[in-house]
Structures are given as structure tokens and as C-alpha cells.
Amino acid sequence: MENALRPLTVVGGSVVLTLLLGWVVDLLLRRVDRHHPETPLWGLLRRCRLPLQVVLLTALLRGTYRETQWQLIEDHEAGIGHVLSLVLIGASAWLVMGIVSAVVESTYVRYASSTRDPARVRRVRTQVTLIMRIVTAIVVVVAVAAMLLTFRGMEKVGASLLASAGIIGIVAGVAAQSTLGNLFAGFQIAFGDMVRIGDTVVVDGEWGTVEEVTLTFLAVRTWDERRITMPVSYFTSKPFENWSRGGAQMTGTVFFYLDHSAPVGLMREKLQDILGECAAWDGRDWSLAVTDTTPSTMEVRAVVTAKDADDVWTARCAVREQMIAWLCEQHPYALPRIATSPAAVEGGAAAKSGTPAEYHDDGHPDGDQPRTGRG
């Protein structure tokens, strides 16, 4: 009877004590969270309840599993203790990453809620993301190293590795030159404030938004929801456009190629009316001017402003669409046309046959031609 109750008491007691301690910690965190609603830290720490319970349960079992006095456990005492040690190391690493993640995320949320500058918020978000990746990598490496050191013979392997570290370092440096370059470029992007998560950039002729930044690559989400993955070293070695640098507001242009008789003054008034009804226009500035001419057309440029890249695109499309529709309906002579005429007819054959000597592109003779803007 005692042989059956002893293991039940050891295992059951460890489980009950783990659940009780986990419940007490969760209760304390909820109370602190209610008394300090200004910070989300305590609520975020509640997500660490599961790894905390795994650590507690493994630690209790690691210290008391010999007390069960089961023959099976006594026969495999070393192996069971080793497995529990590995689980304890892994669970501890899990708990540390959860706590660090909660602290970093809480700090970022508080900073974002108290800062009105979106550029600074994006910069801190990029730095926090890379810091979390670095911390995760360090914790994983330390945990794996600690697990390996629990195996017999690993001390000799470690000494051999340290003895040959010089040769291995040279070989690894040559083989991983590109990877190391991307790694240092990631640090430069994170703390050099070159590009941030949420920035609007143009790379290789593609316009998009920076969606993810890691130590080795950067993902750009294009306007048609494609993802362009590029090494971070690209942004430290080649020029690129960052439309969010120095502020998110944008200035956009729309070009029209029209006949020389186009009513520029009326177009200017129409542009003001269009922008007045356009929700994407931020009201900062607008203009319309003739910027160039050719023998057959003139170039008219409309300038609009908006609060960000998405709105400036919407405003440009609205101006282009509505202005062309208005010109087609109210001033069709302002649209560019190509005048054509038939070959000259010798003598008076054309006059005798009643065929006019010259026709415009719309089929009207010179004597009854519509207004084309060419006089």
C-alpha cells in the first residue's frame, strides 16, 4: 500500500502545488493590473503562467522523483534525471523569453501611446522588433549550450572546438561573409533610423510599405499585396526612396497634354472644385500651371497634397479622372488632335468634282470646320 501511495503523493503533490502557485501568481498579477491600468505589463505577464507552471512542476519532480522508490525509476534514475534537467532548461528559456517579451512590448505600448510623432513610433517599433529577435537568439543559444553540457563528453568536445576556434573562425568568416554583412546591416538599419516598419519606400521601381525587418532580410508589401523580400544590405549599399522620411505628408503631380487653346484659367477653377470635394486632399496646397510646350501640345501640371502616400495616390487619380471627363464634356477642342489632309489634286479636278481640297480629321471641310484650337 505504501509503495502505491508514495509515488502518488510525490507526483500528485507536485502537480497540486504547481497549480496552486500558478493560481496565486495569476491572482496577484490580476490585482496589480487592476490597480495600475496605465501599464499593460502585468496583464502581459499573465501569458507566462504556462511556462512558469512547467518550470515549477519540472523543478519539483527533479528534486523529488527519487522519493517515489519505484523500481522502474530506480533502474533508470540517471536517464529520468537527465530528461527532467533538459525539460527544466528548455522551460526556463521559454519563461525568460516570455518575461522579456512582456517587458519590451509593455514599454513599446506605453511609448506609442504617449508619443504623437508616427515616425518615432515606427523607429522604436523597428528597434524593439530587432532587439526581441536578438534576445531570443541569445536565450536559445544559451539554452542549447546548457543542454549540451549535461551530456557526458561534451567538455572534451568544447575544448576541441575552442582549440580550433581560430581556423573555424576564418573559414566561417569567408563562407558567411554575405550573412555577416546582412547581420551588421540589420543593426545599422535598426539604430541608424534609415528605414522603419510602416515606411513607404520605392525599391527597384516597386512602391510599397515596409512590413517586416529582421537581422538578415526586409519584407516590403506592395500596393497589389505582393511581398518583396530583400537582404537588408541592399538598403545600406544602394539608394532607395523613403517617402515617410521627415514626415508622412506627400505632394503629388498630375500631367495633362492638351491643345494650345486649352482653357488653363477654367481648368484652374475646376481643379479647385475637384479638390474641394476630394476627401483625400489635406488642404495644404494645390496649383495648376503650364510647364512645357511642343509644336502640337502643351504640358499642364496639377499639384496636389495629401497626408500620406495612399491619399496622394487617391487624390491624383481623382483629379486625372474628373478633369479629363470635364474637358471631354465641356471643352473637347482642348484635347490633343492630329490634323490630316488628302493629297493635293492637280488642276481644278477637285473643284469640278465637288470634292473639297482639304479635310480635317473629323470629316468637316475647311469652310465648315469645327473649332480645333488651331485657329
Side-chain angles (χ1 to χ4, degrees), residues 69 91 114 135 147 183 224 242 259 268 270 285 287 334 371:
Q69 297 183 358
S114 61
V135 171
M147 290 180 179
L183 182 64
D224 53 357
N242 189 341
D259 189 87
R268 194 171 288 116
K270 182 60 178 179
D285 192 17
S287 66
R371 184 180 179 185

Side-chain angles (χ1 to χ4, degrees), residues 307-320:
K307 64 180 180 64
D308 54 32
D310 291 335
D311 280 358
V312 81
W313 173 264
T314 303
R316 290 172 61 196
C317 292
V319 169
R320 186 181 296 112

Side-chain angles (χ1 to χ4, degrees), residues 71-105:
Q71 186 63 36
L72 179 63
I73 294 179
E74 292 179 353
D75 294 341
H76 303 85
E77 179 179 342
I80 294 175
H82 192 196
V83 171
L84 289 175
S85 298
L86 295 178
V87 174
L88 181 59
I89 294 173
S92 300
W94 183 15
L95 178 60
V96 170
M97 286 190 294
I99 294 175
V100 173
S101 176
V103 173
V104 172
E105 187 175 348

Side-chain angles (χ1 to χ4, degrees), residues 23 25-35 46:
W23 177 78
V25 171
D26 186 70
L27 180 62
L28 291 176
L29 289 176
R30 280 187 292 177
R31 289 186 176 180
V32 175
D33 189 36
R34 284 198 301 266
H35 288 84
R46 292 183 60 195

Side-chain angles (χ1 to χ4, degrees), residues 73-251:
I73 294 179
E74 292 179 353
D75 294 341
H76 303 85
E77 179 179 342
I80 294 175
H82 192 196
V83 171
L84 289 175
S85 298
L86 295 178
V87 174
L88 181 59
I89 294 173
S92 300
W94 183 15
L95 178 60
V96 170
M97 286 190 294
I99 294 175
V100 173
S101 176
V103 173
V104 172
E105 187 175 348
S106 172
T107 304
Y108 168 73
V109 170
R110 293 189 63 181
Y111 181 84
S113 61
S114 61
T115 304
R116 298 183 179 272
D117 188 357
R120 290 186 178 181
V121 173
R122 291 198 302 270
R123 179 182 61 188
V124 173
R125 180 184 175 188
T126 303
Q127 295 174 351
V128 164
T129 302
L130 292 179
I131 289 174
M132 276 303 307
R133 294 182 186 276
I134 295 171
V135 171
T136 300
I138 293 175
V139 171
V140 170
V141 169
V142 171
V144 171
M147 290 180 179
L148 292 177
L149 290 177
T150 61
F151 293 91
R152 291 182 180 180
M154 292 305 295
E155 296 84 356
K156 297 180 179 179
V157 175
S160 301
L161 290 176
L162 290 175
S164 59
I167 300 176
I168 293 177
I170 294 174
V171 175
V174 174
Q177 183 177 4
S178 177
T179 302
L180 292 176
N182 284 327
L183 182 64
F184 287 111
F187 282 106
Q188 187 175 354
I189 286 178
F191 299 99
D193 198 24
M194 298 174 59
V195 62
R196 302 161 295 228
I197 295 176
D199 281 3
T200 301
V201 297
V202 179
V203 290
D204 284 345
E206 294 283 353
W207 175 87
T209 304
V210 177
E211 187 175 54
E212 184 180 6
V213 179
T214 69
L215 291 177
T216 56
F217 71 90
L218 186 146
V220 177
R221 176 172 52 85
T222 61
W223 66 273
D224 53 357
E225 299 186 356
R226 289 181 292 117
R227 301 300 191 275
I228 301 177
T229 302
M230 311 183 70
V232 292
S233 59
Y234 176 93
F235 293 87
T236 59
S237 59
K238 296 182 180 180
F240 65 95
E241 296 182 30
N242 189 341
W243 291 5
S244 301
R245 185 80 176 183
Q249 63 272 12
M250 297 286 297
T251 298

